Amino acid sequence: MSDDHDHHDGTDDHELRVSKIRNGTVIDHVRGGQALNVLAILGIDGSEGEEVSVGMNVPSDRLARKDIVKVEGRELSQDEVDVLSLIAPDATINIVRDYEVIEKHRVERPDVVTGVLSCPNPSCITTAGEPVTSRFEVLDDAVRCSYCETIVREEIASLIDT
Amino acid sequence: MRHDHLITSKQLSRADIEAILDHAAEIDADPSAVADRHADKLLGLLFFEPSTRTKMSFETAMKRLGGDVVDMGSVESSSVKKGETLADTVRVIEGYTDALVLRHPKQGAAAMASEFVDVPLLNAGDGAGHHPTQTMLDLYTIRENAGLDDLTIGIMGDLKYGRTVHSLAYALSNFDARQHFVSPESLQLPREVVYDLHQQEGAQVREHESIDDVLPSLDVLYVTRIQRERFPDENEYQKVAGEYQIDMDTLDAASDDLTVMHPLPRVDEIAPDVDETDHAAYFEQAHNGVPVRMALLDRLLSEGGDGDE
């Protein structure tokens, strides 16, 4: 449960400056500065006509500063939520239907993410034009390439294969 | 272990390792017993990097089992030159052969290639990653000279890019072995390997910059080449190179029973005056590549394809 003062679409007072959504997903408690990476992970760039609202560095009781992403007309799959956990481990996912939050849960880190991140090791076989899908094991505080075994702790968002 | 591929020494348990070494010892004692064991089998050699010992010892091992090899040849003379992917190459060659041996400059190449083939695939070196069959012959040599339990081993040189070192370290963590890693700071073990070793229950690992710290306590000293080409500045190389060379003067501080090993080729890490001493085990180590690879091939070709534990 959020320690922020929640409203009916999962946001608090500070986020009222960002419009409520009717049906879709509110991704709350994203670490400050990560909102655009969240969109990148979800493959949302606006080119499909998606209606997206983003709040960045808004005050939060829990995180001091947080980002918030609202996606109209789209409910996230569990796979998408799992991957979000890599860069937004504190995030809460609010599924909204007809302006009401009908489901609310925290993200959980998956064991493996596939096809989402690119290996930063230039000597890794996955960077060599082979017909292979990237695969990373998720560690407690890092991710690890399943092929070359490189461990990445910082800047995981920079590995997002956009 | 999975019986159909050998990608990393991490997949080998102590029981796997002991079974392979025991089988290699049987073959070593009586090679004629397995002389026709795989007379109808073909081994595919896919070497995307230069190799002398590994490639020739695999070829020798297969022929001593009664089988034969087909060789992709050099990269320049193969379809790789036309831009063929590794995934396509292994899928084509598996149709000709009963097992594949792969050396490739990219880390993770063997792991990826194994996903595309059904015949057993052996990793003969993937960039700075792994070299598990080298490790098996290293362990065989260590067991013959010093035993594998209550062992104190120093591993010295280029630990960062040295795939033989990474594979050996993983395998030794199955045994009661105290591992001392000696290198310049710039060539220390990759953090991935350190992470794995620390995850391994019972692994005893320490890192040093000087061999003097540990030499008197060692049963085995495993030397690798400090790779000059890895240093951005020649002066930086010259500062450290002399610190990681072994000669008879250096060995004054060592136990009389110290076994000195090297995966070869060496350049100047071990002076020639060590060669004729009882310390030197590196040529014996290279010779052990044949019975050990015979044991591995026999195991994989006898059981390959079933994927059972």
Side-chain angles (χ1 to χ4, degrees):
Chain A
M1 188 68 189
S2 166
D3 58 359
D4 287 334
H5 192 68
D6 287 335
H7 282 245
H8 66 276
D9 69 349
T11 64
D12 62 31
D13 287 340
H14 301 296
E15 287 115 33
L16 291 178
R17 71 193 76 177
V18 180
S19 63
K20 296 174 192 170
I21 63 173
R22 178 169 184 169
N23 294 301
T25 304
V26 177
I27 306 159
D28 199 1
H29 302 109
V30 175
R31 288 182 181 176
Q34 293 294 331
L36 297 180
N37 289 325
V38 166
L39 289 172
I41 272 188
L42 298 177
I44 295 172
D45 61 6
S47 64
E48 305 291 319
E50 312 94 319
E51 191 176 315
V52 180
S53 304
V54 175
M56 299 183 77
N57 294 317
V58 298
S60 161
D61 293 339
R62 173 136 62 96
L63 299 179
R65 292 280 171 181
K66 67 176 182 180
D67 289 0
I68 184 164
V69 177
K70 302 183 182 187
V71 186
E72 182 71 50
R74 177 160 169 190
E75 294 183 10
L76 299 185
S77 69
Q78 189 59 49
D79 284 351
E80 289 174 314
V81 172
D82 285 348
V83 173
L84 274 182
S85 70
L86 301 181
I87 60 164
D90 311 298
T92 41
I93 308 293
N94 302 279
I95 305 296
V96 178
R97 289 184 194 154
D98 202 18
Y99 296 109
E100 293 295 327
V101 175
I102 59 107
E103 194 180 313
K104 177 173 185 148
H105 54 89
R106 295 279 291 271
V107 297
E108 290 183 16
R109 293 166 74 78
D111 295 330
V112 173
V113 291
T114 303
V116 175
L117 307 174
S118 293
C119 185
N121 175 7
S123 297
C124 178
I125 191 68
T126 61
T127 68
E130 295 290 334
V132 61
T133 304
S134 74
R135 188 168 69 233
F136 284 78
E137 178 189 353
V138 179
L139 309 178
D140 287 344
D141 62 345
V143 294
R144 177 178 207 167
C145 176
S146 299
Y147 292 94
C148 75
E149 305 182 342
T150 294
I151 291 175
V152 183
R153 285 202 165 77
E154 296 91 27
E155 303 295 326
I156 292 172
S158 68
L159 308 183
I160 297 167
D161 191 8
T162 52
Chain B
M1 71 179 280
R2 286 166 56 92
H3 294 315
D4 49 353
H5 300 305
L6 178 56
I7 307 302
T8 160
S9 61
K10 280 194 277 189
Q11 73 190 81
L12 298 171
S13 67
R14 178 181 177 132
D16 291 325
I17 291 168
E18 288 181 334
I20 294 164
L21 299 187
D22 288 347
H23 191 34
E26 290 168 9
I27 291 172
D28 213 359
D30 184 13
S32 63
V34 292
D36 297 318
R37 176 81 51 94
H38 297 290
D40 56 344
K41 301 283 175 58
L42 267 180
L43 180 66
L45 301 179
L46 307 175
F47 279 72
F48 290 75
E49 272 185 343
S51 168
T52 305
R53 278 157 303 282
T54 303
K55 187 174 175 183
M56 289 189 70
S57 69
F58 264 115
E59 187 167 355
T60 305
M62 190 62 186
K63 290 182 173 175
R64 290 203 181 280
L65 289 168
D68 209 340
V69 299
V70 288
D71 187 342
M72 181 185 82
S74 69
V75 166
E76 280 65 33
S77 65
S78 72
S79 291
V80 177
K81 193 70 177 171
K82 301 173 188 167
E84 185 177 60
T85 62
L86 173 62
D88 280 1
T89 301
V90 295
R91 278 183 286 192
V92 169
I93 309 303
E94 81 157 327
Y96 306 157
T97 61
D98 300 288
L100 297 172
V101 176
L102 174 66
R103 170 168 290 186
H104 198 278
K106 293 284 187 182
Q107 279 174 260
M112 186 212 75
S114 72
E115 296 177 357
F116 288 89
V117 297
D118 291 324
V119 300
L121 185 144
L122 293 98
N123 182 7
D126 60 335
H130 300 278
H131 197 353
T133 67
Q134 174 72 39
T135 287
M136 293 310 300
L137 70 91
D138 291 342
L139 293 177
Y140 186 85
T141 309
I142 293 170
R143 191 170 80 163
E144 294 280 297
N145 284 274
L148 280 168
D149 273 313
D150 193 23
L151 175 75
T152 303
I153 182 170
I155 303 178
M156 184 177 83
D158 179 357
L159 311 182
K160 184 175 183 179
Y161 299 103
R163 56 193 171 199
T164 64
V165 169
H166 309 159
S167 289
L168 181 60
Y170 290 134
L172 283 172
S173 64
N174 286 297
F175 296 87
D176 177 21
R178 295 167 290 280
Q179 301 188 57
H180 295 277
F181 294 96
V182 183
S183 73
E185 188 178 2
S186 58
L187 295 175
Q188 286 177 342
L189 282 175
R191 59 183 177 170
E192 289 78 24
V193 178
V194 174
Y195 172 86
D196 286 332
L197 293 175
H198 285 150
Q199 293 289 105
Q200 187 83 22
E201 192 175 345
Q204 303 172 68
V205 173
R206 291 186 63 189
E207 295 182 275
H208 311 267
E209 285 194 41
S210 170
I211 186 63
D212 298 339
D213 297 345
V214 292
L215 185 60
S217 69
L218 300 181
D219 301 308
V220 172
L221 175 59
Y222 190 99
V223 183
T224 67
R225 185 169 68 92
I226 297 274
Q227 300 174 85
R228 178 178 290 196
E229 64 273 21
R230 305 289 187 196
F231 286 79
D233 181 340
E234 176 70 15
N235 289 332
E236 291 300 310
Y237 168 76
Q238 293 298 344
K239 277 185 206 167
V240 302
E243 298 293 312
Y244 300 91
Q245 291 171 345
I246 296 298
D247 58 21
M248 286 309 297
D249 289 341
T250 323
L251 293 181
D252 276 347
S255 155
D256 289 344
D257 296 329
L258 176 73
T259 298
V260 177
M261 298 173 60
H262 192 301
L264 304 179
R266 67 173 157 171
V267 180
D268 55 6
E269 310 81 67
I270 302 175
D273 61 4
V274 179
D275 295 359
E276 301 307 318
T277 71
D278 290 339
H279 296 301
Y282 25 93
F283 293 114
E284 169 195 345
Q285 184 184 354
H287 296 162
N288 288 336
V290 173
V292 167
R293 290 186 169 112
M294 286 172 75
L296 284 165
L297 288 170
D298 186 33
R299 182 179 168 109
L300 290 166
L301 290 167
S302 300
E303 301 170 349
D306 59 11
D308 293 339
E309 288 299 313

